[in-house]
Amino acid sequence: MTEGNNRDRDVIREYLLGHLNQDEAAETSMSDDILADDKLAEVVESIEDEIIEEYLEGTLDPETRNSVEHYFLQPPERQEKLHFARVLERHLAARPISLPAKPALAGDELLKEARPGRFNGGRVRWLSARIWVYGPVAALVVFGLVAAGYLNLLQRKLTVVEDDLRQEKLHSARLSNQLSQLQLPIVVLSLVSARPRSAVVREEIPHLEIRPSTERVMVEVAVDRPQTSTYEVRLESNEGGAPIWTAKLSPIVSANGDARLVFDLSAKLLRSDVYSLRVSELAKDGTVKYYDFDAQAAK
Amino acid sequence: MTTRKSERCLTAESFGKFLRWLSGDDQEAVRQYETIRRKLVRYFVHKGCADPDDLFDETVDTIVGKIDACGEILSPLAYCHGVAKNVWRQSIRKRRTVSQFREFPSPEPEDWTEHERELRCLERCMNQLKSEEREVVARYHTSRGRERIEARQALAGDKGGANALRIKVCRIRKDLRLCVIDCMKRASGAASFEAEGQA
């Protein structure tokens, strides 16, 4: 079929709408031609598409529309084509494809390009009217893009800060864990030198730090070669008064003859103050010695 | 989209006999069968038949029944076409006795999940087109009314005339439609696989 041969297209159209079915010669001739000629078959298919398109646009006359609904659209394949044409049309209307930009033209050429073959003064007004319509829309789009970019930047910064915070929390948790392992519930207090109580100078006496985690204070007191097997130990405060704690203890004597009294005190007995442990031999004429220490209860 | 379940189908025996009649060479027989099937199904579609596949099967059944008596046939396609015309005429007589009411696809999607899937497939298939083809489709479907006519006239000028443009767009739309059908099959297969996994 040659370009512009609309008579043939019209005949094919009549054939597709079933209008040739009463004319057996014309119908047979057409169907034989289509069967033998693949190019003609393709033209027929394009006319089918055309009919479907016009049906969707609602531009068919009532008689043709009736033929389309009661004859043309009977095959499932054509119903599928109709469905697809509807989906494609909607899709392209909702999401138009951006066409490739044409090379920039200047002056009159640009205006001619805006509407081929229809260049006149009216086109200038048409363009300027479009500028007022599309100008604010373009400005809104630009503003939207800038705002979206700024929000994106803020979002990225926020993400970085959140990551840092997460790292810090992890680090902190790790340190707390290490610290809790270091904060043992028992501290050791070694008392070697006894001093006369009157000579106490706070800076020179042993220091005992009591942490919140401290539960017991393990005390070691070095004693001279014992005359007796039993000592009396009293914990006294700096202010005097009744002893805070007392016990009778036997020393531990090593192979080389060194003796120590080893015992533990509850940390709850102590607060920040200077305390004395009065250690006395229970034997007759036994010596009495004072061992001072400075307790510091950390909060 | 409406689909009809085939009421009859070609038996393996008649199909084999039909192939042997087309050619003694297996490959040639299959090639000829595919051509005849495509053309006759299209013929029945052109004749506005609601069940072109069934009518094709009926045509082959009729031919198989006549093979022993029909002697040597120079053009199996032409012979098949002649039989198909008779099958079509018989179908018209049957059609007159039954209701022709047919429900057309609704303009509004019945299943929105399916519709969403279809749109995603269409988008994917559009992206698979060559940029020149995408541009043709976009320009062909641009705007409405008078503006659309003018846009198509301009496009036809670029593409070698109105008929050449129509055929080009027809080919692109056909490729797109088949691509979407294929994509939908894959997507629904994946969806049912997922549903089975969840069950």
Side-chain angles (χ1 to χ4, degrees):
Chain A
M1 187 185 302
T2 55
E3 168 66 22
N5 194 343
N6 287 326
R7 194 193 63 80
D8 284 355
R9 287 189 75 86
D10 289 345
V11 174
I12 293 170
R13 201 179 161 93
E14 291 297 294
Y15 169 77
L16 291 174
L17 291 169
H19 295 169
L20 296 188
N21 285 350
Q22 306 308 318
D23 183 347
E24 195 173 334
E27 191 278 325
T28 302
S29 162
M30 181 61 77
S31 67
D32 287 351
D33 286 350
I34 294 169
L35 199 77
D37 186 346
D38 284 343
K39 283 188 177 174
L40 180 61
E42 208 168 22
V43 173
V44 171
E45 210 165 333
S46 77
I47 296 171
E48 272 188 16
D49 280 6
E50 209 171 82
I51 293 170
I52 288 172
E53 207 176 307
E54 288 170 21
Y55 176 74
L56 280 179
E57 286 172 351
T59 53
L60 295 173
D61 60 73
E63 191 193 343
T64 309
R65 189 173 182 83
N66 187 52
S67 297
V68 168
E69 289 179 348
H70 291 93
Y71 181 86
F72 180 84
L73 280 177
Q74 290 298 312
E77 187 189 309
R78 283 182 176 157
Q79 293 180 30
E80 200 177 81
K81 274 187 168 184
L82 172 72
H83 171 78
F84 179 73
R86 194 177 270 147
V87 171
L88 180 66
E89 187 78 25
R90 281 183 184 165
H91 177 76
L92 290 172
R95 305 182 66 172
I97 296 168
S98 55
L99 299 174
K102 300 208 168 186
L105 300 171
D108 293 350
E109 285 299 314
L110 183 65
L111 293 177
K112 280 180 187 171
E113 189 64 16
R115 276 280 176 99
R118 297 189 64 185
F119 177 63
N120 54 37
R123 305 311 309 149
V124 179
R125 285 194 296 278
W126 180 84
L127 273 177
S128 58
R130 289 297 183 275
I131 285 167
W132 284 110
V133 173
Y134 298 123
V137 175
L140 269 175
V141 169
V142 170
F143 175 75
L145 287 174
V146 170
Y150 181 65
L151 284 174
N152 188 31
L153 186 69
L154 284 180
Q155 182 67 40
R156 267 186 285 170
K157 279 188 174 177
L158 187 64
T159 308
V160 170
V161 170
E162 280 174 350
D163 280 349
D164 287 351
L165 187 63
R166 204 175 300 122
Q167 289 298 324
E168 280 302 315
K169 279 182 179 169
L170 278 174
H171 185 59
S172 171
R174 231 175 280 133
L175 286 177
S176 298
N177 191 29
Q178 287 173 358
L179 191 63
S180 66
Q181 285 175 0
L182 288 172
Q183 288 174 341
L184 298 172
I186 298 172
V187 289
V188 177
L189 175 64
S190 293
L191 301 170
V192 179
S193 306
R195 293 174 187 272
R197 212 173 174 191
S198 57
V200 169
V201 178
R202 192 162 180 162
E203 282 74 24
E204 292 175 3
I205 60 177
H207 183 80
L208 172 69
E209 188 177 348
I210 300 168
R211 297 193 185 97
S213 59
T214 307
E215 292 173 7
R216 311 290 300 173
V217 180
M218 181 69 73
V219 186
E220 277 185 336
V221 181
V223 292
D224 293 334
R225 187 173 290 273
Q227 305 289 318
T228 176
S229 60
T230 309
Y231 287 82
E232 185 187 55
V233 182
R234 289 183 190 177
L235 176 66
E236 296 173 351
S237 73
N238 196 29
E239 295 155 357
I244 299 166
W245 174 88
T246 62
K248 288 179 182 169
L249 304 166
S250 296
I252 298 168
V253 182
S254 67
N256 56 14
D258 293 336
R260 294 175 299 151
L261 292 170
V262 179
F263 55 94
D264 67 300
L265 297 170
S266 169
K268 289 177 183 171
L269 297 173
L270 307 169
R271 51 190 172 85
S272 295
D273 202 354
V274 174
Y275 292 89
S276 288
L277 279 169
R278 180 183 181 277
V279 178
S280 59
E281 287 176 292
L282 288 178
K284 195 179 175 183
D285 301 326
T287 58
V288 177
K289 288 185 178 176
Y290 290 90
Y291 297 84
D292 302 321
F293 64 92
D294 180 14
Q296 286 292 323
K299 289 178 182 175
Chain B
M1 200 179 304
T2 56
T3 53
R4 273 168 56 101
K5 196 180 173 185
S6 178
E7 289 165 4
R8 50 177 295 156
C9 62
L10 208 52
T11 64
E13 192 187 355
S14 57
F15 180 63
K17 198 170 178 183
F18 184 65
L19 287 180
R20 288 283 72 79
W21 175 71
L22 290 175
S23 174
D25 177 66
D26 284 353
Q27 280 191 336
E28 177 59 19
V30 169
R31 193 191 61 76
Q32 281 199 40
Y33 171 78
E34 283 174 351
T35 304
I36 290 170
R37 180 182 170 80
R38 181 171 49 82
K39 294 201 170 200
L40 293 193
V41 167
R42 287 239 40 89
Y43 167 75
F44 289 122
V45 168
H46 290 165
K47 306 314 290 174
C49 300
D51 40 15
D53 292 315
D54 287 351
L55 292 177
F56 171 74
D57 287 353
E58 199 177 324
T59 304
V60 174
D61 279 347
T62 307
I63 294 166
V64 168
K66 292 180 177 179
I67 281 175
D68 297 330
C70 68
E72 195 182 347
I73 302 292
L74 289 177
S75 169
L77 174 61
Y79 183 78
C80 291
H81 186 214
V83 175
K85 282 178 190 170
N86 288 331
V87 170
W88 168 64
R89 286 193 191 99
Q90 284 168 13
S91 79
I92 290 177
R93 283 195 284 276
K94 284 183 204 166
R95 218 192 295 180
R96 281 182 188 139
T97 61
V98 295
S99 166
Q100 286 191 25
F101 176 76
R102 200 72 190 269
E103 200 175 325
F104 292 108
S106 162
E108 290 305 319
E110 289 167 7
D111 181 344
W112 283 98
T113 311
E114 186 85 352
H115 182 60
E116 284 293 317
R117 197 180 291 160
E118 192 172 29
L119 289 178
R120 277 200 298 274
C121 281
L122 178 58
E123 182 106 29
R124 185 181 297 173
C125 291
M126 288 289 277
N127 289 333
Q128 285 173 10
L129 290 177
K130 292 175 193 162
S131 61
E132 184 254 343
E133 291 175 335
R134 241 190 336 266
E135 188 193 341
V136 168
V137 170
R139 287 175 68 186
Y140 194 84
H141 287 273
T142 191
S143 56
R144 291 211 159 260
R146 183 93 204 131
E147 276 191 45
R148 173 174 280 192
I149 292 167
E150 286 174 1
R152 286 185 183 180
Q153 280 171 351
L155 191 57
D158 293 346
K159 301 296 172 189
N163 283 341
L165 173 65
R166 286 186 191 118
I167 289 170
K168 189 174 185 64
V169 172
C170 178
R171 281 180 194 159
I172 298 170
R173 274 200 295 226
K174 188 176 180 179
D175 287 348
L176 260 181
R177 186 166 57 86
L178 297 178
C179 173
V180 170
I181 289 170
D182 184 52
C183 172
M184 290 286 284
K185 277 182 192 162
R186 287 164 194 264
S188 64
S192 61
F193 180 76
E194 252 175 48
E196 277 175 25
Q198 283 170 359

